[in-house]
Amino acid sequence: GFMESMEKGGWDLSKVDKKALKESKKGQVIGYERDVEYGKSVFEIIILDGKNEKEIKIDRRTGKVLKVETKDLSLDVEDKLLINAKPKIDLSKAERKVKAKYPKTTIKKLKLEVDDNVLVYELSVVKGNKEIEAELDANTGIFTQEEIETEDD
């Protein structure tokens, strides 16, 4: 399955975070997503750096930076709210909340976003062939919009 291929060997998230921050030079990590691209297991690390949001793709096996994309947040009225965002719940707290709510799952995606002018973490966790998507309010810590999908292998 998807997650087994993700978890075998290679770099862990904290190491990948450091690599991404080094690549970005500055900023803070506000999200990540595990993905498989071109048959490679990839981490996308999202870094907020001033008015720029950087998405840094790193090969999980080798730790090599595959791609860096930069988005100017000041161009979009909702995205603007991410600039200098200081949510009460930072990424590591959000991660702990997600793990507490969805034990024994693997976090596939956790990312600070703006939804209807509210700072939320968009999240997706996987357990077996189930994927759960939800949002976590980045200030109140309340989970909303939960959807459960079952993947038929």
Side-chain angles (χ1 to χ4, degrees), residues 2-3 104-108 124-132 151:
F2 172 79
M3 281 341 268
K104 299 190 172 67
T105 59
T106 301
I107 298 175
K108 185 175 150 189
S124 132
V125 297
V126 179
K127 183 180 188 175
N129 63 343
K130 257 211 206 84
E131 181 166 350
I132 301 167
E151 247 178 77

mmCIF file of all heavy atoms in Angstrom, residues 2-3 104-108 124-132 151:
data_model
loop_
_atom_site.group_PDB
_atom_site.id
_atom_site.type_symbol
_atom_site.label_atom_id
_atom_site.label_comp_id
_atom_site.label_asym_id
_atom_site.label_seq_id
_atom_site.Cartn_x
_atom_site.Cartn_y
_atom_site.Cartn_z
ATOM 1 N N PHE A 2 0.185 2.368 -0.138
ATOM 2 C CA PHE A 2 0.836 3.679 -0.246
ATOM 3 C C PHE A 2 1.778 3.969 0.929
ATOM 4 O O PHE A 2 2.922 4.326 0.761
ATOM 5 C CB PHE A 2 -0.265 4.743 -0.316
ATOM 6 C CG PHE A 2 0.241 6.152 -0.229
ATOM 7 C CD1 PHE A 2 0.799 6.750 -1.340
ATOM 8 C CD2 PHE A 2 0.146 6.867 0.943
ATOM 9 C CE1 PHE A 2 1.269 8.047 -1.263
ATOM 10 C CE2 PHE A 2 0.609 8.162 1.027
ATOM 11 C CZ PHE A 2 1.174 8.751 -0.098
ATOM 12 N N MET A 3 1.272 3.771 2.147
ATOM 13 C CA MET A 3 2.064 4.185 3.296
ATOM 14 C C MET A 3 3.254 3.279 3.558
ATOM 15 O O MET A 3 4.287 3.744 4.000
ATOM 16 C CB MET A 3 1.196 4.229 4.563
ATOM 17 C CG MET A 3 0.341 5.445 4.677
ATOM 18 S SD MET A 3 0.654 6.922 3.749
ATOM 19 C CE MET A 3 1.647 7.935 4.692
ATOM 20 N N LYS A 104 -2.696 5.796 15.763
ATOM 21 C CA LYS A 104 -2.312 4.702 14.852
ATOM 22 C C LYS A 104 -2.572 5.021 13.381
ATOM 23 O O LYS A 104 -2.839 4.142 12.575
ATOM 24 C CB LYS A 104 -3.033 3.402 15.231
ATOM 25 C CG LYS A 104 -2.710 2.899 16.624
ATOM 26 C CD LYS A 104 -3.258 1.484 16.831
ATOM 27 C CE LYS A 104 -2.795 0.880 18.137
ATOM 28 N NZ LYS A 104 -3.353 1.560 19.326
ATOM 29 N N THR A 105 -2.534 6.298 13.046
ATOM 30 C CA THR A 105 -2.628 6.659 11.633
ATOM 31 C C THR A 105 -1.316 7.314 11.229
ATOM 32 O O THR A 105 -0.523 7.696 12.085
ATOM 33 C CB THR A 105 -3.750 7.685 11.362
ATOM 34 O OG1 THR A 105 -3.498 8.861 12.133
ATOM 35 C CG2 THR A 105 -5.124 7.137 11.689
ATOM 36 N N THR A 106 -1.102 7.442 9.945
ATOM 37 C CA THR A 106 0.057 8.162 9.440
ATOM 38 C C THR A 106 -0.428 9.477 8.857
ATOM 39 O O THR A 106 -1.379 9.489 8.067
ATOM 40 C CB THR A 106 0.760 7.350 8.341
ATOM 41 O OG1 THR A 106 1.154 6.094 8.900
ATOM 42 C CG2 THR A 106 1.991 8.070 7.835
ATOM 43 N N ILE A 107 0.212 10.559 9.248
ATOM 44 C CA ILE A 107 -0.173 11.858 8.697
ATOM 45 C C ILE A 107 0.404 11.966 7.291
ATOM 46 O O ILE A 107 1.611 11.887 7.096
ATOM 47 C CB ILE A 107 0.347 13.009 9.581
ATOM 48 C CG1 ILE A 107 -0.274 12.910 10.981
ATOM 49 C CG2 ILE A 107 0.015 14.358 8.942
ATOM 50 C CD1 ILE A 107 0.255 13.931 11.978
ATOM 51 N N LYS A 108 -0.493 12.138 6.347
ATOM 52 C CA LYS A 108 -0.056 12.261 4.960
ATOM 53 C C LYS A 108 0.117 13.742 4.606
ATOM 54 O O LYS A 108 0.971 14.121 3.833
ATOM 55 C CB LYS A 108 -1.112 11.617 4.067
ATOM 56 C CG LYS A 108 -0.743 11.559 2.619
ATOM 57 C CD LYS A 108 -1.809 10.799 1.836
ATOM 58 C CE LYS A 108 -1.885 11.312 0.418
ATOM 59 N NZ LYS A 108 -3.040 10.760 -0.291
ATOM 60 N N SER A 124 -4.688 15.325 6.341
ATOM 61 C CA SER A 124 -5.161 14.062 5.824
ATOM 62 C C SER A 124 -4.321 12.973 6.473
ATOM 63 O O SER A 124 -3.096 13.076 6.550
ATOM 64 C CB SER A 124 -5.061 14.118 4.300
ATOM 65 O OG SER A 124 -4.460 13.007 3.783
ATOM 66 N N VAL A 125 -5.007 11.973 7.045
ATOM 67 C CA VAL A 125 -4.303 10.872 7.697
ATOM 68 C C VAL A 125 -4.747 9.563 7.059
ATOM 69 O O VAL A 125 -5.852 9.455 6.520
ATOM 70 C CB VAL A 125 -4.567 10.816 9.231
ATOM 71 C CG1 VAL A 125 -4.045 12.051 9.935
ATOM 72 C CG2 VAL A 125 -6.039 10.606 9.532
ATOM 73 N N VAL A 126 -3.853 8.593 7.117
ATOM 74 C CA VAL A 126 -4.111 7.325 6.457
ATOM 75 C C VAL A 126 -3.961 6.196 7.460
ATOM 76 O O VAL A 126 -3.038 6.196 8.281
ATOM 77 C CB VAL A 126 -3.106 7.111 5.304
ATOM 78 C CG1 VAL A 126 -3.347 5.774 4.618
ATOM 79 C CG2 VAL A 126 -3.222 8.233 4.291
ATOM 80 N N LYS A 127 -4.886 5.252 7.374
ATOM 81 C CA LYS A 127 -4.779 4.055 8.200
ATOM 82 C C LYS A 127 -5.297 2.899 7.358
ATOM 83 O O LYS A 127 -6.478 2.876 6.999
ATOM 84 C CB LYS A 127 -5.636 4.214 9.454
ATOM 85 C CG LYS A 127 -5.533 3.046 10.407
ATOM 86 C CD LYS A 127 -6.428 3.305 11.614
ATOM 87 C CE LYS A 127 -6.191 2.250 12.672
ATOM 88 N NZ LYS A 127 -6.943 2.541 13.884
ATOM 89 N N GLY A 128 -4.427 1.985 7.021
ATOM 90 C CA GLY A 128 -4.821 0.897 6.129
ATOM 91 C C GLY A 128 -5.304 1.487 4.820
ATOM 92 O O GLY A 128 -4.625 2.293 4.200
ATOM 93 N N ASN A 129 -6.526 1.131 4.408
ATOM 94 C CA ASN A 129 -7.032 1.670 3.142
ATOM 95 C C ASN A 129 -8.011 2.821 3.361
ATOM 96 O O ASN A 129 -8.768 3.187 2.491
ATOM 97 C CB ASN A 129 -7.696 0.551 2.326
ATOM 98 C CG ASN A 129 -8.912 -0.019 3.039
ATOM 99 O OD1 ASN A 129 -9.076 0.190 4.247
ATOM 100 N ND2 ASN A 129 -9.761 -0.719 2.324
ATOM 101 N N LYS A 130 -7.985 3.375 4.569
ATOM 102 C CA LYS A 130 -8.851 4.515 4.887
ATOM 103 C C LYS A 130 -8.048 5.800 4.880
ATOM 104 O O LYS A 130 -6.967 5.864 5.440
ATOM 105 C CB LYS A 130 -9.400 4.335 6.304
ATOM 106 C CG LYS A 130 -10.829 3.862 6.371
ATOM 107 C CD LYS A 130 -11.438 4.457 7.645
ATOM 108 C CE LYS A 130 -12.579 3.668 8.200
ATOM 109 N NZ LYS A 130 -12.213 2.557 9.059
ATOM 110 N N GLU A 131 -8.620 6.822 4.290
ATOM 111 C CA GLU A 131 -8.009 8.146 4.380
ATOM 112 C C GLU A 131 -9.032 9.093 4.980
ATOM 113 O O GLU A 131 -10.178 9.133 4.554
ATOM 114 C CB GLU A 131 -7.576 8.635 2.996
ATOM 115 C CG GLU A 131 -6.922 9.998 3.069
ATOM 116 C CD GLU A 131 -6.182 10.400 1.798
ATOM 117 O OE1 GLU A 131 -6.002 9.564 0.907
ATOM 118 O OE2 GLU A 131 -5.793 11.565 1.724
ATOM 119 N N ILE A 132 -8.600 9.822 6.002
ATOM 120 C CA ILE A 132 -9.489 10.776 6.652
ATOM 121 C C ILE A 132 -8.956 12.179 6.363
ATOM 122 O O ILE A 132 -7.778 12.454 6.568
ATOM 123 C CB ILE A 132 -9.515 10.559 8.180
ATOM 124 C CG1 ILE A 132 -9.975 9.128 8.492
ATOM 125 C CG2 ILE A 132 -10.436 11.583 8.856
ATOM 126 C CD1 ILE A 132 -9.746 8.701 9.930
ATOM 127 N N GLU A 151 -10.328 3.546 0.341
ATOM 128 C CA GLU A 151 -9.750 3.237 -0.959
ATOM 129 C C GLU A 151 -9.934 1.756 -1.212
ATOM 130 O O GLU A 151 -9.589 0.934 -0.379
ATOM 131 C CB GLU A 151 -8.243 3.500 -0.881
ATOM 132 C CG GLU A 151 -7.789 4.645 -1.737
ATOM 133 C CD GLU A 151 -6.292 4.852 -1.533
ATOM 134 O OE1 GLU A 151 -5.517 4.066 -2.084
ATOM 135 O OE2 GLU A 151 -5.933 5.785 -0.794
#
